[in-house]
C-alpha cells in the first residue's frame, strides 16, 4: 500500500490509494462549549435529505451526549477497543515532537488502516457493522452525566470550573469528509469519491451495490444502508449550497443546512485551500478556519488516531476531565482549552463570526477598539478589547461586521407597547 503523509498524526501512514488532494477542502469548527443539544441541526438535515421511505433511521447529522450516548450506540468505544486489541498498550502520542507540519507531535500507535494490515485479510480498515438495534435510538442516554461511582451526594460536590466532578457534553457529528476516507478505501466497487474542487466525499448511487463495506469501515459510522433502494447513502455536504447554486446566494458558496440553522452559534464552516503536492493547508492566517485550527490551535480533530485525517474540528469542552478529552481529540487538548479560556484579542474577535452569516467566509479583518475590561483568569491578568471584526465572502464582499461588545439598544418610550 502507498504511504501518505497525515499531518494530524505527524507521520506517514499506509493507505489504499496514492495521495491526491482537492483544491479546497470542506472543513468545519464546532465549539462544543456552546451547544445546547436543541437538535435544530439534526432536524434541518433530516427534513432536507433523509425524509423518504427507507431513510427513517438515517440521521446524517446527529448530536449525542457523551460519554454514554452514541449513534450508532457505542460506535467510538467499539473502535477504540478494536484498536487496543490490535495493538495492546501501543496507542500513544509523542507530543514532545510537535513542530512545523506536526502540530500535535507524532502518533506512535496504529491507525485503523494499519491495524487491518496487521490482521491480514481483505479489509482496508478495521471496523464492524452496527446491529439494527444500535441504529435505533439516535439520542440514547441524553443528558446522562457520569460521576464518582458509589458516593452518595458526590454529584453535587466539586462542581466548579475548570473541571466538573459530574460531567457530560454534547458531541455534534456528521461526515468529516476526511482527507484519507476509510469509506473510499473500503469500497470494492470504487463507488465513493472525493470531489477535487471541495473535498466533499460522495457515494455514486449508480455504482453502489450495497455491499456495506463503507458502513463497516468508516470509523465514524457515517455511511448508512437504505433497504428500499439497496444502496448506501451518506452526508452530501449540502453540495449545491457549497457550490453556490442555491438561488439565495448570488452564486457564492453557502454553508450547509446543519451549520446555518444553529441557534447556539457553535458552528462555522469553511473551504480551506490545500497544497496539491503535500495535502497541507496553504498558509492563510486571514481565513477564520485556518486561524482557529492552525494558528490559535483552539480546535482539534475528532479521534485523529483513526487515521482518516477528518476535516471536522472541535473546541473541546472546558469542564470535562482531560484524559477523556485527550483520548478523543489528541494531545492538543490542554493548549486548546487554555487558548479558549483566555482568548487572544484576535481569537475573541473571530469567535464573534460564528453564525453571523450563511455565506461561507474566506477572510476576516480586525479593527482595533478600546480596552473595556481587565479580569484575572487562571491567576493571570486578561484584558478585553472592543475590537470590530469583518468577514468577507469568496468574491471579497464584506458580508458581516461585528464588535466584541454587542451594541446596546434602548427602545424609545413611544414604542414600549408596540408589539
Ligand atoms: S443546532 Fe447548534 S446548538 Fe443546536 S444541537 Fe445543533 S449544534 Fe447544538
Ligand atoms: S467520516 Fe466516514 S463516511 Fe465520512 S469521509 Fe470519513 S470515512 Fe468517509
Amino acid at each position: 500500500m502507498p504511504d501518505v503523509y497525515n499531518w494530524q498524526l505527524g507521520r506517514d501512514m499506509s493507505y489504499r490509494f496514492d495521495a491526491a488532494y482537492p483544491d479546497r477542502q470542506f472543513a468545519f469548527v464546532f465549539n462544543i462549549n456552546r451547544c445546547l443539544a436543541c437538535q435544530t441541526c439534526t432536524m434541518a438535515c433530516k427534513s432536507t435529505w433523509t425524509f423518504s421511505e427507507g431513510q427513517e433511521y438515517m440521521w446524517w447529522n446527529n448530536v449525542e451526549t457523551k460519554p454514554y450516548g452514541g449513534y450508532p450506540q457505542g460506535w467510538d468505544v467499539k473502535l477504540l477497543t478494536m484498536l487496543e486489541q490490535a495493538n495492546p498498550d501501543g496507542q500513544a502520542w509523542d507530543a514532545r515532537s510537535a513542530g512545523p507540519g506536526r502540530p500535535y507531535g507524532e502518533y506512535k500507535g496504529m491507525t485503523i488502516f494499519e491495524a487491518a494490515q496487521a490482521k491480514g485479510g481483505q479489509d482496508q480498515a478495521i471496523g464492524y457493522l452496527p446491529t439494527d438495534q444500535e441504529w435505533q435510538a439516535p439520542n440514547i442516554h441524553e443528558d446522562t452525566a457520569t460521576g464518582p461511582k458509589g458516593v452518595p451526594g458526590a454529584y453535587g460536590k466539586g462542581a466548579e470550573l475548570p473541571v466538573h466532578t459530574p460531567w457530560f457534553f454534547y458531541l455534534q457529528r456528521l461526515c468529516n469528509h476526511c482527507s484519507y476516507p476509510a469509506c473510499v478505501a473500503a469500497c470494492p466497487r470504487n463507488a465513493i469519491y472525493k470531489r477535487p474542487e471541495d473535498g466533499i466525499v460522495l457515494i455514486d448511487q449508480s455504482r453502489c451495490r450495497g455491499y456495506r463495506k463503507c458502513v463497516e469501515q468508516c470509523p465514524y459510522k457515517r455511511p448508512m444502508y437504505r433497504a428500499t433502494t439497496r444502496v448506501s447513502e451518506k452526508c452530501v455536504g449540502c453540495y449545491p449550497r457549497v457550490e453556490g447554486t442555491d438561488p439565495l446566494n448570488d452564486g457564492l458558496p453557502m454553508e450547509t443546512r446543519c451549520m446555518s440553522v444553529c441557534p447556539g452559534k457553535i458552528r462555522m464552516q469553511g473551504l480551506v485551500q490545500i497544497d496539491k503536492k503535500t495535502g497541507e493547508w496553504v498558509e492563510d492566517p486571514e481565513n477564520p478556519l485556518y486561524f482557529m485550527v492552525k494558528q490559535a490551535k483552539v480546535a482539534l480533530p475528532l479521534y485523529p488516531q483513526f487515521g482518516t485525517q477528518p476535516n471536522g474540528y472541535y473546541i473541546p469542552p472546558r469542564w470535562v476531565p482531560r484524559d477523556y478529552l485527550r483520548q478523543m481529540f489528541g494531545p492538543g487538548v490542554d493548549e486548546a482549552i487554555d487558548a479558549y479560556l483566555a482568548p487572544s484579542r484576535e481569537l475573541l474577535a473571530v469567535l464573534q463570526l460564528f453564525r453571523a452569516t450563511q455565506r461561507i467566509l474566506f477572510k476576516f479583518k480586525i479593527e482595533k477598539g478600546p480596552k473595556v475590561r481587565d479580569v484575572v483568569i487562571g491567576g493571570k491578568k486578561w484584558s478585553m478589547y472592543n475590537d470590530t471584526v469583518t468577514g468577507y465572502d469568496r468574491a471579497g464582499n464584506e458580508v458581516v461586521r461585528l464588535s466584541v461588545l454587542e451594541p446596546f439598544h434602548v427602545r424609545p418610550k413611544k414604542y414600549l407597547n408596540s408589539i
Side-chain angles (χ1 to χ4, degrees):
M1 277 213 275
D3 273 352
V4 293
Y5 187 71
N6 183 324
W7 66 261
Q8 293 176 354
L9 304 184
R11 67 168 172 84
D12 286 335
M13 60 162 209
S14 49
Y15 184 65
R16 178 179 166 197
F17 298 109
D18 285 324
Y21 303 109
D23 295 328
R24 287 200 175 259
Q25 175 61 55
F26 175 106
F28 53 87
V29 168
F30 290 168
N31 182 358
I32 291 179
N33 296 274
R34 298 193 63 162
C35 178
L36 40 139
C38 60
Q39 307 285 0
T40 313
C41 49
T42 309
M43 293 316 297
C45 176
K46 184 94 185 139
S47 60
T48 308
W49 297 109
T50 61
F51 54 81
S52 300
E53 200 179 4
Q55 295 180 309
E56 293 82 357
Y57 84 101
M58 284 187 190
W59 302 90
W60 291 352
N61 178 99
N62 77 292
V63 177
E64 56 203 40
T65 302
K66 289 297 182 202
Y68 299 121
Y71 169 75
Q73 216 172 319
W75 65 274
D76 51 351
V77 175
K78 285 196 181 181
L79 251 295
L80 292 169
T81 306
M82 290 176 91
L83 274 176
E84 180 60 26
Q85 282 164 352
N87 185 26
D89 293 328
Q91 306 302 92
W93 291 81
D94 173 15
R96 283 167 306 180
S97 59
R102 49 167 62 162
Y104 317 126
E106 189 180 336
Y107 176 59
K108 298 289 189 186
M110 274 187 187
T111 65
I112 56 168
F113 306 111
E114 291 157 349
Q117 262 185 317
K119 208 169 139 192
Q122 297 293 310
D123 287 342
Q124 296 294 325
I126 54 165
Y128 72 100
L129 270 181
T131 62
D132 287 354
Q133 197 184 1
E134 286 167 344
W135 285 115
Q136 253 172 19
N139 200 11
I140 199 163
H141 302 306
E142 186 185 19
D143 291 0
T144 305
T146 186
K149 287 201 177 77
V151 188
Y155 275 78
K157 287 184 191 155
E160 281 171 25
L161 288 174
V163 176
H164 280 192
T165 312
W167 59 274
F168 67 87
F169 67 94
Y170 304 124
L171 186 68
Q172 313 72 26
R173 301 212 306 119
L174 60 140
C175 169
N176 292 293
H177 297 280
C178 305
S179 296
Y180 304 115
C183 56
V184 171
C187 180
R189 293 272 309 159
N190 291 338
I192 311 183
Y193 61 103
K194 192 165 172 64
R195 304 206 314 176
E197 62 270 41
D198 53 21
I200 287 177
V201 174
L202 295 176
I203 301 178
D204 180 340
Q205 304 282 287
S206 63
R207 286 199 63 78
C208 178
R209 292 289 179 272
Y211 299 151
R212 283 179 281 178
K213 284 289 175 189
C214 54
V215 182
E216 185 184 312
Q217 291 175 46
C218 163
Y220 302 96
K221 295 287 164 254
R222 293 292 95 185
M224 296 159 201
Y225 178 70
R226 183 168 175 179
T228 49
T229 56
R230 300 189 171 206
V231 291
S232 298
E233 297 180 1
K234 62 176 282 302
C235 161
V236 294
C238 288
Y239 66 87
R241 289 168 71 99
V242 174
E243 285 170 0
T245 49
D246 189 295
L248 272 180
N249 221 35
D250 299 336
L252 289 162
M254 190 181 191
E255 291 186 65
T256 65
R257 291 276 289 133
C258 63
M259 309 286 168
S260 56
V261 295
C262 175
K265 300 190 175 189
I266 84 141
R267 294 176 171 233
M268 184 187 283
Q269 184 197 330
L271 286 166
V272 292
Q273 217 180 323
I274 301 294
D275 183 320
K276 299 276 283 181
K277 283 203 186 112
T278 64
E280 261 283 3
W281 292 19
V282 174
E283 198 174 325
D284 189 5
E286 289 186 324
N287 178 297
L289 263 83
Y290 182 95
F291 171 75
M292 284 187 284
V293 173
K294 293 287 194 172
Q295 214 160 311
K297 294 189 185 151
V298 71
L300 302 167
L302 178 64
Y303 291 120
Q305 65 268 43
F306 290 165
T308 64
Q309 204 171 285
N311 289 298
Y313 294 84
Y314 294 78
I315 302 180
R318 63 202 194 286
W319 59 88
V320 172
R322 298 294 169 95
D323 282 350
Y324 185 91
L325 294 177
R326 284 187 205 109
Q327 177 175 255
M328 186 170 265
F329 300 112
V333 163
D334 297 298
E335 197 179 347
I337 292 181
D338 285 350
Y340 185 66
L341 280 177
S344 67
R345 235 173 128 160
E346 219 172 0
L347 177 58
L348 187 63
V350 169
L351 289 172
Q352 312 306 314
L353 293 171
F354 279 64
R355 297 281 32 87
T357 171
Q358 292 201 62
R359 206 163 280 192
I360 293 181
L361 296 177
F362 284 71
K363 188 176 164 177
F364 70 91
K365 276 191 186 157
I366 296 172
E367 290 162 30
K368 291 198 166 165
K371 180 153 78 167
V372 287
R373 197 165 297 155
D374 276 330
V375 287
V376 174
I377 299 175
K380 288 188 200 143
K381 189 178 137 197
W382 179 80
S383 304
M384 181 194 264
Y385 295 84
N386 190 19
D387 295 336
T388 298
V389 60
T390 40
Y392 301 85
D393 63 18
R394 191 182 61 190
N397 304 309
E398 179 184 313
V399 285
V400 61
R401 173 176 285 264
L402 291 139
S403 53
V404 167
L405 287 189
E406 277 187 34
F408 196 79
H409 296 286
V410 180
R411 185 188 290 240
K413 267 197 175 149
K414 63 174 178 173
Y415 297 126
L416 276 184
N417 295 317
S418 64
I419 298 174

